[in-house]
Amino acid sequence: MRTALITTAALASTLALGACSTAVEAIRGPELAPIGYPAALVPTSQVYLPTPEQQRADRAASANSLWRVGSRTFFGDQRARRVGDILTVNIDIDDRAQTQNSTQRSRTNDASGGVTNFFGLENNLGRIFPGGFDPANMVGIEGESNASGSGSVNRSERVSLTIAAVVTDVMANGNLMIQGRQEVRTNREVRELTVAGIVRPEDISSANTIAHTQIAEARISYGGRGDISRVQATPAAQSLVERFSPF
């Protein structure tokens, strides 16, 4: 009983906080998300960078050399390759799809059968059904079915954006897991863009950029939240009725 009461209280407090945050957002407008490591986009096991002291120790100047081991130089590879490095993702989606299908089907069945002699009982049936009994045509079955259908799809999508992503993990084969998030607030509307996926270090250009078509398991989301998005969205009750209505 005590556990049920605690669970109910926790649920009630959560709903209250959610309603409070919704009310605050309705008055002040949507707030930007806090800046942080983008691991929340696609949860994964993280490999963190060494501390600054360890990095300085690893980059100690070599004897009789002007360069430090692991330091970024004009002659070094500036492309992202380690956890925490940043690279630019160019998103240029221009997809079109158009299909049209039409199906028509028609079928007619006709079957009949009869018994001309059945131990003389066919005559008795003739007495029971006078004028409507024919031993040669005792059973008759007819059937007809028609079906027709048509459908078409015409889609056109165009998204052209650029976003910076962070390397969040290095896989065993050397591929990089990247995640990035970008938010822009204009008046009372926030535009959100997120990208995540797996890239090969060889596909990253010398300018430290990569196209979205070279991202495996790409997850690209472009949307918004705010007054306009809330007005355009279907009310929750109406969405439930449309989703579960059997008619």
Side-chain angles (χ1 to χ4, degrees):
M1 184 66 179
R2 181 178 181 182
T3 304
L5 292 175
I6 294 175
T7 304
T8 305
L11 181 59
S13 61
T14 303
L15 294 176
L17 290 176
C20 181
S21 62
T22 303
V24 172
E25 181 176 338
I27 297 175
R28 299 182 181 178
E31 298 292 338
L32 297 178
I35 299 175
Y37 203 65
L41 297 180
V42 180
T44 180
S45 58
Q46 300 296 321
V47 180
Y48 296 97
L49 291 174
T51 61
E53 291 75 11
Q54 293 176 342
Q55 292 181 352
R56 285 193 293 266
D58 295 338
R59 296 181 180 179
S62 303
N64 302 325
S65 176
L66 298 177
W67 310 106
R68 293 182 178 179
V69 177
S71 63
R72 297 184 176 182
T73 67
F74 291 107
F75 304 101
D77 189 359
Q78 300 297 315
R79 294 178 297 180
R81 63 185 185 275
R82 296 180 300 183
V83 175
D85 289 349
I86 298 176
L87 75 159
T88 302
V89 179
N90 295 323
I91 303 173
D92 189 8
I93 301 175
D94 189 5
D95 295 338
R96 290 180 176 86
Q98 184 174 2
T99 60
Q100 185 173 0
N101 299 316
S102 179
T103 303
Q104 290 185 350
R105 185 181 62 182
S106 178
R107 182 174 181 177
T108 302
N109 299 321
D110 188 0
S112 62
V115 178
T116 58
N117 188 0
F118 188 69
F119 302 106
L121 297 178
E122 67 277 0
N123 297 325
N124 296 329
L125 292 176
R127 297 189 186 95
I128 298 175
F129 304 101
F133 176 74
D134 184 5
N137 190 17
M138 296 180 60
V139 179
I141 299 175
E142 294 182 0
E144 182 179 355
S145 63
N146 295 284
S148 63
S150 62
S152 62
V153 176
N154 189 0
R155 298 183 58 183
S156 179
E157 300 173 347
R158 179 63 190 269
V159 179
S160 181
L161 295 167
T162 302
I163 182 175
V166 180
V167 178
T168 58
D169 196 4
V170 179
M171 305 178 70
N173 59 357
N175 291 340
L176 310 176
M177 295 188 64
I178 63 171
Q179 300 181 39
R181 179 171 183 158
Q182 184 183 92
E183 293 185 0
V184 177
R185 175 172 175 172
T186 304
N187 295 333
R188 297 173 64 89
E189 188 74 15
V190 174
R191 188 264 289 161
E192 298 176 330
L193 172 63
T194 60
V195 61
I198 304 173
V199 302
R200 298 191 312 167
E202 296 83 0
D203 294 332
I204 303 176
S205 68
S206 58
N208 199 31
T209 62
I210 191 169
H212 78 278
T213 55
Q214 297 173 305
I215 302 177
E217 294 295 325
R219 301 293 184 268
I220 300 173
S221 173
Y222 180 82
R225 52 188 172 90
D227 292 347
I228 298 177
S229 301
R230 183 167 53 253
V231 172
Q232 290 180 337
T234 304
Q238 183 177 350
S239 298
L240 291 175
V241 172
E242 293 177 353
R243 185 175 183 86
F244 298 103
S245 175
F247 306 103

